[in-house]
Amino acid sequence: AFADSITPVNQDMIRREGESVTLSCSYDTSSSYVYLYWYRQYLNREPEYLLYDGARSNSAYRGTPEDRRFQSTASQSSTDLTITECKPDTVDQPDKHVTEAERASVTLQCKYTATTTATPNLLWYIQRENGIPQYMLRINKYGADQVTEFQERFHSELLSDSVPLTIKNLRVFSDRIGPNEEDKSIARKEGESVTLRCSYDTSSNNVYLYWYRQYPNTEPQYLLWKGARSNGGQDITDQRFQSTTSQTSTELTITGCDSLESVDQNTRVQPAVEGRPVTISCTYETSDPSPYLFWYQQKSNNDKIADYYSFLHNKYFCVLGTGQC
C-alpha cells in the first residue's frame, strides 16, 4: 500500500561537502502495511529510485540500496533518509584544448568521480561555434545510448574514473560539399547534355542540396534544390535542369546545352565620328527565362594611348550568358 499523504519535514537543507545529512518526511495512512520509497531528482531529470523501507506491519521489509551511503529508518508516522559523506559528483576535462590534423583521429579525455550513485550516467555533448550544446551520447555500466548521426565516427567507453571520447576522421566542419575532381572542368558541344557532380558530407539526415550558377563578376543565381536522405522534397524552376541525390552525392543534369541560345549583332562594322555617340544593336534568342547579356570592349594591340586611331579600331561585341554549360 502507498501512504495516503506524505510531506517533507524540512523543505530546504544545506550542508557542507563531506558532512552527513538526514531528511525526514511525515506520512499518514490508514493501512498497516506500509512501504516508503525514497527518490532523488536532478534538475530537468526524471526521479531516480534510491531505496524503500517498510513500516508498521511491514517493518521487517527493507530494500538494499545500491549506494551504502543511503540508509533509511521508519516509524509509525515518519521516515528518515540519512546520507553520509555528502559529496557532489565531479567531472573534468584535463585537456582543455586539443589540436589534431584534419582526417586524423583524436581521443578526448574526461575524468569523473561519482559519489552519489553506483551507476553514474556520463553524457557527451558537442557545441559548434555560436551554437547551443547538442547531445551526442550517454553511457553507463549497462550500455550506451547514442544519437544516430554520431554513431559512425564517435565512440566512448566507461572506465572506473574516466569516459574517453574517440572521434574518427576528424573534420574542421561537420558539413561540407565540393565538386568531384574529374568534374571541375567539363566541355560539351552545343546541343549535348552535361552532368555535373558534387560530393557532400553531413551528420544530418534532413538534407537540402542547392544548385546555383554564377557568371563572371555577378552574384550566384539559384537554379533548384533537391532533398536527400530522409528529405524527399525538391524545387525545380526550369525543367532543363534536373537533379538526383544519394547518401553522399548530388548530380545536376543540363539537357540541350546552349542548343536554343543565339546572339547576333545586326551591324558588324559601325562607322563612328569622334565626339559623337554611336549605337550598336544586338539581338538574341534564348529559352532561359532570366538571361544575362554582356557587353565587352576589345581594343587593338596598341591600347596604351587612347587616341583617335585606337578608338576607331576598338571592337565592341555582345555575348549571351545563360550558364547552361
Side-chain angles (χ1 to χ4, degrees):
F2 294 95
D4 297 329
S5 66
I6 190 165
T7 306
V9 175
N10 301 107
Q11 295 289 341
D12 298 299
M13 297 191 69
I14 299 174
R15 289 293 185 272
R16 294 180 180 178
E17 184 177 345
E19 292 183 347
S20 296
V21 62
T22 297
L23 310 177
S24 300
C25 284
S26 59
Y27 70 91
D28 183 25
T29 179
S30 58
S31 175
S32 295
Y33 300 94
V34 180
Y35 290 94
L36 298 162
Y37 294 83
W38 281 95
Y39 293 81
R40 67 178 172 194
Q41 185 175 20
Y42 295 116
L43 185 64
N44 299 322
R45 296 288 301 277
E46 69 279 1
E48 180 183 356
Y49 168 76
L50 296 178
L51 56 86
Y52 79 89
D53 198 6
R56 299 182 181 178
S57 297
N58 279 344
S59 59
Y61 297 96
R62 176 173 297 175
T64 301
E66 287 192 5
D67 192 333
R68 296 293 183 176
R69 295 177 305 116
F70 299 97
Q71 297 295 327
S72 178
T73 59
S75 70
Q76 294 293 313
S77 60
S78 66
T79 178
D80 294 338
L81 176 70
T82 299
I83 310 171
T84 58
E85 296 182 4
C86 185
K87 296 181 180 179
D89 297 336
T90 63
V91 64
D92 178 60
Q93 288 183 247
D95 301 319
K96 304 302 181 184
H97 299 282
V98 178
T99 303
E100 186 54 82
E102 189 173 7
R103 300 296 178 182
S105 295
V106 63
T107 298
L108 307 179
Q109 298 295 335
C110 182
K111 299 287 187 179
Y112 72 92
T113 58
T115 60
T116 60
T117 179
T119 57
N121 286 289
L122 282 302
L123 295 85
W124 276 99
Y125 291 80
I126 181 173
Q127 184 174 17
R128 297 180 175 90
E129 186 176 6
N130 299 322
I132 61 175
Q134 182 182 359
Y135 167 74
M136 292 194 302
L137 62 89
R138 178 182 64 179
I139 188 170
N140 55 38
K141 70 177 184 180
Y142 300 111
D145 173 51
Q146 191 165 359
V147 177
T148 302
E149 63 186 85
F150 298 107
Q151 289 180 354
E152 182 180 354
R153 297 191 303 113
F154 297 82
H155 174 73
S156 183
E157 61 177 334
L158 183 64
L159 304 178
S160 60
D161 63 347
S162 67
V163 55
L165 177 71
T166 299
I167 308 172
K168 300 177 181 178
N169 192 14
L170 193 65
R171 302 166 190 177
V172 176
F173 299 100
S174 295
D175 300 337
R176 61 173 57 220
I177 190 169
N180 294 357
E181 192 66 32
E182 63 272 16
D183 293 336
K184 289 186 177 180
S185 179
I186 298 178
R188 290 292 186 272
K189 294 181 180 179
E190 183 177 340
E192 292 182 346
S193 297
V194 62
T195 298
L196 310 177
R197 300 174 181 84
C198 281
S199 298
Y200 72 91
D201 186 19
T202 178
S203 58
S204 175
N205 282 321
N206 187 28
V207 181
Y208 291 80
L209 295 163
Y210 294 80
W211 281 95
Y212 293 81
R213 64 182 173 191
Q214 186 175 19
Y215 300 117
N217 303 318
T218 63
E219 71 281 358
Q221 181 184 5
Y222 167 77
L223 295 177
L224 59 86
W225 69 262
K226 177 81 171 179
R229 298 183 182 176
S230 62
N231 186 353
Q234 66 177 9
D235 176 56
I236 300 176
T237 58
D238 189 331
Q239 294 303 313
R240 292 172 304 152
F241 302 95
Q242 296 293 326
S243 179
T244 59
T245 61
S246 72
Q247 294 292 314
T248 58
S249 65
T250 176
E251 295 183 354
L252 176 69
T253 299
I254 309 167
T255 57
C257 184
D258 280 341
S259 60
L260 300 178
E261 320 304 335
S262 64
V263 63
D264 179 63
Q265 285 181 242
N266 299 330
T267 305
R268 297 297 182 183
V269 179
Q270 179 78 3
V273 178
E274 185 178 11
R276 299 184 61 182
V278 62
T279 300
I280 304 173
S281 299
C282 179
T283 61
Y284 71 92
E285 179 183 0
T286 179
S287 57
D288 192 329
S290 304
Y292 283 77
L293 282 302
F294 297 87
W295 277 99
Y296 291 87
Q297 178 190 55
Q298 183 178 18
K299 297 183 178 181
S300 61
N301 294 332
N302 183 17
D303 59 354
K304 294 182 180 180
I305 301 176
D307 56 8
Y308 175 68
Y309 176 82
S310 64
F311 171 78
L312 290 179
H313 288 78
N314 286 349
K315 295 180 181 179
Y316 296 85
F317 57 94
C318 59
V319 174
L320 173 66
T322 63
Q324 295 183 47
C325 287

